[in-house]
């Protein structure tokens, strides 16, 4: 369980010492990320199953991933990001600092989800007498951390754009789509699950592109 939070500890240390981001602000971001887990888990648990009438199993799984994981999670993460500290940030790096705080919040949520995912798979494997595929679980956890971090970063850039520049709704839309598509591919037991890694790489690239577009609009 402790190992699941190692990425969060390393990122907080990096942002604190390398980028001089206030530790208190990061701790607030961690708290907000953990708080977001409660409503997200509640809604996902009690939300009724999508009707499968007229849908192929593949299309049904894709719609479920986009709505249940992409839309719901990113909307709630966007709401909690409103409460991130945004005053007294480094004036010359305000967008960068706010993006990093969003990263921390998303990573905190992702790390907690990793704990739940890991123990859930332990229980399933033990109950079935199966051999645990620790490598597969580790890949899922690491990619999940990154997708939460980057998609929350995109949501953070959306919030920042609402406060400082013309609103970029596309940032939020991209976060929802990337998260939903990631979960769609990650849910496969065969080699199709490796497409989730490609989605993670795409999310990293999109985060960089959107950040550059926000901070250097003249280069668009």
């Amino acid at each position: 369980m402790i190992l699941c939070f190692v990425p969060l500890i390393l990122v907080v240390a990096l942002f604190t010492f390398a980028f001089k981001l206030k530790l208190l602000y990061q701790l607030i971001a961690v708290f907000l990320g953990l708080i977001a887990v409660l409503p997200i888990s509640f809604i996902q648990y009690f939300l009724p199953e999508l009707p499968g009438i007229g849908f192929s199993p593949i299309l049904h799984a894709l719609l479920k991933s986009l709505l249940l994981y992409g839309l719901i999670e990113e909307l709630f993460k966007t709401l909690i990001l409103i409460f991130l500290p945004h005053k007294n940030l480094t004036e010359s790096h305000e967008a960068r600092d706010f993006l990093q705080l969003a990263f921390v919040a998303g990573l905190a949520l992702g790390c907690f989800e990793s704990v739940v995912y890991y123990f859930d798979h332990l229980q399933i494997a033990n109950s079935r007498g199966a051999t645990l595929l620790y490598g597969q679980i580790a890949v899922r956890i690491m990619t999940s951390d990154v997708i939460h971090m980057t998609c929350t970063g995109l949501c953070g850039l959306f919030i920042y754009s609402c406060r400082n520049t013309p609103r970029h709704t596309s940032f939020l839309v991209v976060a929802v789509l990337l998260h939903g598509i990631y979960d769609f591919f990650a849910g496969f037991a065969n080699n199709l699950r490796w497409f989730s890694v490609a989605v993670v790489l795409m999310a990293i690239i999109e985060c960089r592109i959107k950040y550059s577009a926000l901070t250097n609009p003249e280069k668009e």
Side-chain angles (χ1 to χ4, degrees):
M1 184 175 69
I2 295 175
L3 290 176
C4 290
F5 285 95
V6 167
L8 177 62
I9 296 171
L10 293 177
V11 166
V12 169
L14 174 66
F15 289 168
T16 300
F17 295 107
F19 296 95
K20 308 303 180 183
L21 189 62
K22 294 182 179 179
L23 180 59
L24 176 61
Y25 285 6
Q26 294 184 77
L27 293 178
I28 293 173
V30 170
F31 176 74
L32 291 174
L34 295 178
I35 287 294
V37 174
L38 298 177
I40 289 173
S41 301
F42 181 84
I43 290 178
Q44 289 179 344
Y45 183 80
F46 288 101
L47 193 71
E49 182 70 21
L50 289 175
I53 300 175
F55 297 117
S56 68
I58 296 296
L59 182 57
H60 181 267
L62 178 59
L63 289 175
K64 179 180 178 180
S65 295
L66 288 172
L67 295 176
L68 190 61
Y69 302 111
L71 183 62
I72 290 177
E73 288 197 27
E74 297 311 320
L75 283 181
F76 270 98
K77 286 194 287 185
T78 300
L79 288 176
I80 65 105
L81 293 181
I82 296 175
F83 301 98
L84 276 180
H86 61 278
K87 297 181 179 180
N88 301 321
L89 296 176
T90 307
E91 186 174 351
S92 58
H93 299 292
E94 185 179 359
R96 185 200 69 186
D97 289 354
F98 192 78
L99 174 62
Q100 289 176 343
L101 289 176
F103 280 160
V104 172
L107 189 54
L109 188 153
C111 288
F112 185 82
E113 185 180 84
S114 295
V115 174
V116 176
Y117 178 86
Y118 184 75
F119 280 103
D120 179 60
H121 276 63
L122 276 177
Q123 185 176 4
I124 292 173
N126 288 333
S127 65
R128 295 180 179 176
T131 301
L132 279 175
L133 299 176
Y134 288 106
Q136 181 178 338
I137 293 175
V139 169
R140 165 75 188 209
I141 287 175
M142 287 187 291
T143 56
S144 178
D145 285 348
V146 178
I147 202 70
H148 275 292
M149 185 176 176
T150 52
C151 287
T152 308
L154 288 168
C155 295
L157 292 176
F158 166 70
I159 294 295
Y160 182 85
S161 74
C162 293
R163 289 192 178 121
N164 298 276
T165 65
R167 183 178 305 158
H168 291 274
T169 307
S170 63
F171 293 6
L172 178 59
V173 173
V174 170
V176 170
L177 292 176
L178 287 172
H179 193 159
I181 295 172
Y182 163 81
D183 271 288
F184 170 70
F185 283 116
F188 284 95
N190 54 30
N191 287 332
L192 283 174
R193 70 179 183 272
W194 294 109
F195 280 100
S196 63
V197 178
V199 179
V200 170
L201 295 176
M202 189 181 300
I204 295 172
I205 294 171
E206 279 295 321
C207 210
R208 176 61 184 175
I209 291 174
K210 302 303 184 188
Y211 174 77
S212 297
L214 194 63
T215 54
N216 301 291
E218 67 279 357
K219 294 183 179 181
E220 288 186 311

